[in-house]
Amino acid sequence: MGKGTSKSTVRHFDRLPDGTLGCYQMGCTDPATRWIDMERWGIRRWLSTAYCDSHGDWELRDGDHPRRVRPIT
């Protein structure tokens, strides 16, 4: 990922009580199983968001920005 902004820090994942990564979907308490990376505006910088198996598929259907999926191991 690229360098973050100096004004604030944005996390696109939640931290579960046991310290593992959780799904970023509001209200979901499941562990994250994959990163969905989005390239924004043709800039070679990826915005990575953690999702469980039940969430995030809508991002893959959006054809405006290239995306890739990486498993969380």
Side-chain angles (χ1 to χ4, degrees), residues 5-56:
T5 178
S6 61
K7 294 182 180 179
S8 66
T9 301
V10 177
R11 294 183 343 181
H12 286 259
F13 64 89
D14 286 329
R15 187 67 69 183
L16 298 179
D18 65 357
T20 59
L21 292 177
C23 180
Y24 187 64
Q25 183 71 35
M26 186 182 302
C28 183
T29 58
D30 293 338
T33 57
R34 60 187 174 164
W35 290 105
I36 296 180
D37 303 326
M38 178 181 71
E39 181 182 333
R40 298 175 62 184
W41 305 298
I43 300 170
R44 288 283 172 204
R45 197 169 104 190
W46 295 89
L47 172 64
S48 300
T49 306
Y51 288 107
C52 66
D53 288 334
S54 300
H55 296 111

